[in-house]
Amino acid sequence: ACASCKHQRKKCEETCELAPFFPASRYREFQNAHKLFGVSNIQKIINSVDPSQRKEAAESILIEGNIRSNDPVHGCLGVVRNLKSQIEYYEKELGAVNQQLPFFRDKEKQHQHHAAPRASRKQPLEFGSDEEEESVDVSSLKGKKI
């Protein structure tokens, strides 16, 4: 039996209009949709839709029933509002990142510009050159505990 016939406790016949859209495996989902719309309204909705779109309409009915079951106060509107606020948040985040991007690109160019002369140097530094780091006189440390 399809979910609709199972819910109505009747034998599901081959001519059942709802069987292709509401299989018995989706009985719990159909119950949620039934609470929201009622079987007769579900049939009216399915029949009023173009035959090529009936599968999508049935899926929409099941989704709406599940959402209303999970959030009886706000239902689909709550989901839409939540998604809209997420979109707005991420658009603001993207705008902030896009504003900072030129700054970091300029900083990267400056870093590459300053690093390029050292990287292109072919001769090693000589002992005693100006670019040598300061060294510590080891002889003054003899006998001292470190």
Side-chain angles (χ1 to χ4, degrees), residues 60-98:
S60 179
I61 290 169
L62 292 174
I63 289 171
E64 283 191 57
N66 289 334
I67 290 172
R68 181 60 70 173
S69 167
N70 293 333
D71 186 358
V73 175
H74 299 106
C76 291
L77 181 61
V79 172
V80 170
R81 285 180 178 166
N82 184 24
L83 291 173
K84 185 177 179 183
S85 69
Q86 286 181 18
I87 289 170
E88 289 171 359
Y89 170 80
Y90 288 116
E91 283 176 341
K92 288 178 184 177
E93 187 77 18
L94 181 61
V97 169
N98 283 333

Side-chain angles (χ1 to χ4, degrees), residues 27-85:
Y27 178 68
R28 185 75 189 126
E29 293 174 271
F30 182 82
Q31 283 183 318
N32 292 334
H34 171 263
K35 287 178 188 174
L36 183 61
F37 296 105
V39 176
S40 64
N41 286 330
I42 291 173
Q43 285 176 323
K44 288 176 188 175
I45 292 169
I46 296 295
N47 290 332
S48 70
V49 175
D50 186 61
S52 65
Q53 295 182 337
R54 287 183 179 167
K55 185 79 171 163
E56 288 83 8
E59 191 64 32
S60 179
I61 290 169
L62 292 174
I63 289 171
E64 283 191 57
N66 289 334
I67 290 172
R68 181 60 70 173
S69 167
N70 293 333
D71 186 358
V73 175
H74 299 106
C76 291
L77 181 61
V79 172
V80 170
R81 285 180 178 166
N82 184 24
L83 291 173
K84 185 177 179 183
S85 69

